[in-house]
């Protein structure tokens, strides 16, 4: 009986409608991805030049 109540509670919580993240969080995430990609490119460029 206790397991059934737990399953009902979990199902009620999972039926909440999907709410996408705010636009400002997505924009900052893409900016962060860009910074990381540029950093990796510059790192490999530094290695390719022999550390000079």
């Amino acid at each position: 009986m206790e397991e059934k109540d737990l399953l009902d509670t979990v199902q009620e919580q999972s039926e909440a409608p999907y709410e996408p993240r705010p636009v400002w969080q997505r924009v900052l995430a893409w900016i962060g991805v860009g910074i990381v990609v540029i950093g990796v490119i510059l790192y490999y460029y530094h290695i390719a030049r022999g550390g000079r």
Side-chain angles (χ1 to χ4, degrees):
M1 189 67 163
E2 203 172 292
E3 291 178 20
K4 186 175 190 257
D5 292 336
L6 181 61
L7 286 175
D8 290 340
T9 304
V10 170
Q11 286 176 349
E12 289 174 9
Q13 291 174 353
S14 65
E15 292 176 5
Y18 173 73
E19 187 175 327
R21 291 194 178 270
V23 174
W24 66 269
Q25 284 185 348
R26 289 183 276 168
V27 169
L28 287 179
W30 279 110
I31 291 171
V33 167
I35 290 171
V36 168
V37 168
I38 290 171
V40 169
I41 290 170
L42 290 175
Y43 175 69
Y44 285 135
Y45 179 71
H46 181 70
I47 291 174
R49 292 195 53 207
R52 293 184 228 167

